[in-house]
Amino acid sequence: MDETARTRIPLCEPCLAGREVEYVRQCVESGWVSSVGSFVDEFERAIAREAGCEFAVATVNGTSALHVSLVALGIGLGDEVLMPSMTFIAPANAVAYVGASPVFVDAGGADWQMDLPQVAEFLRQDCQRTEAGLRNRHTGRRVAAMLPVHILGCGGDMDFLVALAEEFQLPVIEDATESLGARWQGKPLGSFGKVGCFSFNGNKLLTTGGGGMVVTQDEALAKRIRHLTTQAKASAEEYEHDEVGYNYRLTNLQAALGLAQVEQLAVFLQRKREIAQLYRREFANLEGLSWQEPAADMTSAEWLFTIRLREKSGKTARGLRSHLASQGIQSRCLWEPMHLSRPHRHCACLGGEVAEALYSEALSLPCSSGLTESQQRRVIAAVRDFLAN
Ligand SMILES: *Cc1c(COP(=O)(O)O)cnc(C)c1O
């Protein structure tokens, strides 16, 4: 193994330092490894508590959590859903699965979240209230929901979002997959909408290997979501089903891992915040370099610390990525904006310039919970070195 490979610093790795093995062993020894079991129930309760909601339904991943939420809220063929263009593709795909169309919205503000003033302008000027709900004047389609995606560990102005949702009677599906543990005025993200969705994919704050969760305050909705995730089985004894459902359940084995992970959530969050603070402090005086800035009322989970580098003398975010890679340091650019992505570029988009600028200028830096300070100092030195030379 050469020096670089041996000291490779990954972007964001899971930290499995708690009771993971003990709980997984309990599953194996008891035989309860599949989609029913006490770990599923306990994991659901733990995430509900962390997300400030009464009900939670575990799912096979975050994408299925989003999909089943859209189905349960009656969003379907021909509907339009307002969502940000600057996001990982999963929520846009989920909207397409139900036959609806995303209306993408540019990123705005220093927190890079969905630009709510543009959403408000669209709702006021381009939509019309009818008996059948809100209609887009130009397409004639129903505008059925808002799907904010709380990217990189924090969300936008939740007061603004909730006020818009109330004024226009639009359900909100929060994609909080990247922001477990973040809070707006002390209230957890995921608890502001009709539903909140989480992911426990390998690089998220908590992992179950792969997994997801829907949280809600609405008991009937939670029941309906659970029903849909279990093939809409209508009888406990008989194989009778009352609609087209999905096999979207999380296994007890995965939930065992998840429960061990939730027990470490406070530690992970603390570490993430320390890492972000150190980056901010060390980068404070570097010209041309900024980073995602949450609003004052937002306590970020700091899931993925992301800088923005305005091009200067040929120095770009992608140039920095290559420089870091040459030193065994993994970094990552943000997602191609949805309004440019091949599967979704035929969809409408309000603005888009900020998302495009972020796509070329933003770079996420290593911030695993297990990142050591000396590793982080190596990343900082490499960034400084790139900017100086
Ligand atoms: C991770 C993620 C998801 C869900 O991903 P899964 O891999 O399906 O668990 C959804 N939306 C966003 C923004 C994500 O980052």
Side-chain angles (χ1 to χ4, degrees):
M1 212 189 286
D2 72 8
E3 182 67 12
T4 311
R6 192 156 51 79
T7 59
R8 192 180 153 285
I9 303 177
L11 181 70
C12 192
E13 265 192 341
C15 177
L16 304 163
R19 302 170 79 176
E20 286 84 357
V21 172
E22 181 188 332
Y23 291 170
V24 169
R25 177 185 293 275
Q26 281 179 34
C27 289
V28 173
E29 288 177 352
S30 68
W32 290 90
V33 293
S34 196
S35 41
V36 180
S38 62
F39 283 115
V40 175
D41 302 338
E42 279 188 71
F43 185 46
E44 286 179 341
R45 279 198 295 272
I47 294 297
R49 193 166 55 239
E50 295 298 343
C53 283
E54 203 168 340
F55 308 99
V57 181
T59 59
V60 71
N61 53 44
T63 309
S64 59
L66 289 160
H67 179 206
V68 77
S69 296
L70 289 160
V71 174
L73 288 168
I75 293 151
L77 198 61
D79 286 339
E80 293 183 352
V81 176
L82 284 154
M83 60 171 295
S85 180
M86 181 39 73
T87 172
F88 176 56
I89 200 168
N93 285 345
V95 168
Y97 298 163
V98 299
S101 303
V103 173
F104 296 116
V105 183
D106 203 357
D111 60 11
W112 310 345
Q113 307 291 330
M114 178 160 76
D115 190 18
L116 292 174
Q118 280 200 70
V119 174
E121 191 182 303
F122 171 79
L123 292 172
R124 299 218 163 92
Q125 292 175 9
D126 299 295
C127 297
Q128 185 175 14
R129 291 170 202 257
T130 73
E131 273 170 29
L134 200 65
R135 296 263 155 202
N136 180 330
R137 287 179 201 276
H138 311 291
T139 62
R141 291 174 174 157
R142 181 171 80 125
V143 177
M146 290 194 283
L147 200 169
V149 183
H150 308 317
I151 59 166
L152 305 171
C154 73
D157 182 333
M158 302 310 285
D159 290 344
F160 195 162
L161 179 76
V162 167
L164 275 183
E166 277 169 9
E167 181 180 346
F168 292 93
Q169 294 290 299
L170 285 174
V172 170
I173 297 151
E174 288 181 73
D175 181 336
T177 49
E178 300 182 3
S179 296
L180 178 65
R183 288 165 184 267
W184 172 257
Q185 294 168 356
K187 188 174 171 342
L189 296 193
S191 67
F192 289 85
K194 277 298 250 184
V195 300
C197 297
F198 292 100
S199 163
F200 311 110
N201 172 21
N203 71 1
K204 294 297 188 329
L205 192 65
L206 301 187
T207 189
T208 56
M213 191 83 72
V214 183
V215 297
T216 178
Q217 299 285 32
D218 182 331
E219 185 169 16
L221 189 59
K223 277 205 173 116
R224 170 115 172 90
I225 288 170
R226 190 176 299 282
H227 186 62
L228 286 167
T229 60
T230 53
Q231 301 281 28
K233 196 160 180 284
S235 157
E237 288 83 37
E238 301 294 332
Y239 279 94
E240 291 171 1
H241 307 260
D242 56 13
E243 62 185 307
V244 175
Y246 305 88
N247 177 13
Y248 276 178
R249 288 173 300 178
L250 190 75
T251 66
N252 203 43
L253 209 53
Q254 289 163 306
L257 206 60
L259 188 67
Q261 288 270 290
V262 190
E263 290 172 357
Q264 302 162 79
L265 179 61
V267 178
F268 292 166
L269 284 169
Q270 168 74 16
R271 242 338 258 147
K272 289 279 190 187
R273 287 171 184 150
E274 286 165 4
I275 292 167
Q277 266 168 24
L278 184 62
Y279 276 135
R280 284 197 196 93
R281 201 161 64 229
E282 293 293 325
F283 291 157
N285 302 315
L286 295 181
E287 207 196 315
L289 195 151
S290 58
W291 46 79
Q292 186 193 31
E293 295 267 19
D297 285 322
M298 179 66 61
T299 309
S300 175
E302 308 286 6
W303 170 58
L304 211 51
F305 185 81
T306 304
I307 58 170
R308 183 168 180 180
L309 186 63
R310 295 193 193 259
E311 180 169 358
K312 204 175 111 246
S313 353
K315 284 183 182 158
T316 63
R318 281 170 178 76
L320 175 56
R321 182 180 62 185
S322 306
H323 177 74
L324 294 174
S326 74
Q327 304 196 16
I329 298 168
Q330 190 187 16
S331 64
R332 199 173 72 190
C333 294
L334 287 185
W335 317 278
E336 180 180 46
M338 289 301 107
H339 69 276
L340 302 180
S341 76
R342 271 164 286 170
H344 300 291
R345 64 184 167 207
H346 60 283
C347 300
C349 187
L350 313 177
E353 298 76 10
V354 178
E356 288 170 29
L358 285 169
Y359 179 49
S360 67
E361 296 174 351
L363 193 71
S364 301
L365 298 180
C367 54
S368 310
S369 310
L371 185 76
T372 64
E373 186 171 334
S374 71
Q375 285 177 319
Q376 192 178 357
R377 297 254 173 225
R378 245 182 71 201
V379 179
I380 292 163
V383 171
R384 286 174 171 279
D385 175 56
F386 175 78
L387 293 177
N389 296 304

